[in-house]
Amino acid sequence: MRGEWWRTAAIYQVYPRSFADGNGDGVGDLLGLRGRLPYLARLGVDALWITPWYRSPMVDGGYDVADHRDVDPLFGTLGEAEELIGEAHALGMRVLLDIVPNHCSDRHPWFQEALAAGPGSPARERFWFRGGDRPPNDWPSNFGGPAWSPTGDGEWYLHLYAPEQPDLNWNHPDVRDDFERTLRFWFDRGADGFRIDVAPALVKAEGLPDLAGYPGYLPWKDQEGVHDLYRSWRAIADSYPGDRVFAGEIWLPDPARLARYLRPGELHTAFNFAMLTCPWEADALRAVIDTTLATHEPVGAPPTWVLSNHDVPRPVTRYGRDGAAFDSADYFARSHGTPYDEGLGLRRARAAALLVAALPGSVYVYQGEELGLPEVEDLPADALRDPMWARSGGTVKGRDGCRVPLPWSGTRPPFGFGVGRPWLPQPPGWASLTAEAQSRDPSSTLALYRAALRLRRGLTGGLTWLPAPRGVLAFARGDRFACVVNLSREPVSPPPYDGVLLASGPLDGGLLPPDTAAWLRLGGRG
Ligand code: NOJ
């Protein structure tokens, strides 16, 4: 494995409960994932990011952690986790875990202790408890409703997410010490790093001021103190051999603020959500690429490119709605269930895959993206598990539609996901989307991803924009490679080239059709 592997890595996101079910209970698990590691190695990814597998009541799909240093029995055992890490390494893949430091589960022993100990007790200082006959401030929960819930004994506690996810107080030394222990625990077991959940939210503005009238961005985000914290985490990672890394989940509107988390001695990388929130428009995408490169370069950090994850509608569906961009939870309320063109969405999603895979830096692939899965928007209400659904009073369907268990093989549900009934129903029409079916088809989205991930390993050098007609993105990497993406409504001539290395759809008499991308071999400039 190369040094500083994370600068160029293709990282595959595994959402374990929807990946593969090894024990037949309808929920994906470590046994299922271990059985599919060869598929991931064959796909050509350099690393896995595995979303939380820790002990959890699963109110928020495992992001409500009751014990950070054990595996939930739903997924398997700690021993299996260790074996999995070893097996992935043997196949040449690194393993990033997902650390959730902003909050824990209300079943976590600390929160239980705090509730039992009552108002004013030291046990409550590890969280944000406040007295009063109304919520202490006007902060909203990200899942709808207020960010404060009553304890029933005259106090309120803060939860930026569900009430079952109380926020931890990072001013408390126990909190800092315990998370350092957790980092070491998993580093000692071979983890190559962590994705950090809601990384900018850990430190809250002094005095917990109201949002209304707050002079900064948000009083619960991007506070200066959070940088000290990540510097101390970085020192821990650096004390281990073999390039252990952090990838911050950092949703911030200002890319310059994001880059501050990537200064030397802080986090290695951060998710670049600007690409994922961008509509399918050439000028807008080019602006995202330029800004990303310009803000990462001064801090010496590699950009990351992300099209999807377990929190956002899948690209096939997003891009199939003209002009639709995923900008916030409002997307679900606004666009969910409105008509879209799946064929168009798939063409664009495939072109987008070639675009991001060609850019300098590291790239993420969310499970099922390589199969071109659409968002499942017609899940019955009684199947929905995302807390957004209940918290919004049944108005926001939430994120279950991108978490439907993967189709692996066969012609009917559960499509080889396991033998039991999957925890979310799969659309009966997914037979042509299974990994098995796509493995046989050289024009499939799976084949495209395999080829792209293999070829991108050979790409080096920065990005140089090439002259291109309006609505077309064209850039070179070095002298011999160009990527051209046609976002216009007309077929276009690509720049002069020696050969087509890969294309997201067939070229038409030498012309690149709309919503198509091609990787070209250039003749070289001497
Ligand atoms: C971000 C995670 O990706 C999401 O799934 C989760 O609900 C929130 N953080 C809260 O942990």
Side-chain angles (χ1 to χ4, degrees), residues 60 63 103 143 161 165 195 197 249 310-311 399 403:
D60 184 22
Y63 284 94
H103 44 267
F143 290 158
Y161 292 87
Q165 294 167 293
R195 174 259 192 193
D197 191 62
E249 187 211 16
H310 64 294
D311 293 328
R399 304 160 296 174
R403 300 173 176 180

Side-chain angles (χ1 to χ4, degrees), residues 13 15 49 51-52 60-64 98-103 142-143 160-162 165 195-199 249 251 273 309-311 386-388 399 403:
Q13 181 191 349
Y15 190 71
W49 150 34
T51 64
D60 184 22
Y63 284 94
D64 46 321
D98 199 324
I99 196 159
V100 190
N102 179 67
H103 44 267
N142 281 292
F143 290 158
L160 289 180
Y161 292 87
Q165 294 167 293
R195 174 259 192 193
I196 306 171
D197 191 62
V198 275
E249 187 211 16
W251 288 88
F273 292 124
N309 66 27
H310 64 294
D311 293 328
D386 187 344
M388 279 177 135
R399 304 160 296 174
R403 300 173 176 180

Side-chain angles (χ1 to χ4, degrees), residues 291-352:
T291 308
T292 301
L293 295 175
T295 48
H296 282 63
E297 200 271 334
V299 290
T304 67
W305 307 102
V306 187
L307 292 176
S308 65
N309 66 27
H310 64 294
D311 293 328
V312 303
R314 288 198 178 269
V316 169
T317 303
R318 234 165 54 216
Y319 292 141
R321 290 192 173 110
D322 250 332
F326 178 78
D327 38 16
S328 66
D330 291 350
Y331 175 94
F332 292 105
R334 224 180 32 242
S335 300
H336 205 281
T338 63
Y340 77 101
D341 179 337
E342 192 166 317
L344 176 71
L346 181 61
R347 280 200 301 285
R348 290 178 173 175
R350 289 168 58 103

Side-chain angles (χ1 to χ4, degrees), residues 239-300:
S239 72
Y240 281 81
D243 254 350
R244 314 292 175 110
V245 302
F246 294 112
E249 187 211 16
I250 303 179
W251 288 88
L252 290 179
D254 179 352
R257 296 294 299 183
L258 181 142
R260 298 180 77 245
Y261 289 76
L262 306 175
R263 291 173 294 187
E266 296 195 38
L267 306 182
H268 299 75
T269 61
F271 294 94
N272 175 16
F273 292 124
M275 177 64 82
L276 168 157
T277 53
C278 190
W280 185 247
E281 289 165 17
D283 290 348
L285 286 168
R286 181 169 170 155
V288 166
I289 294 167
D290 283 338
T291 308
T292 301
L293 295 175
T295 48
H296 282 63
E297 200 271 334
V299 290

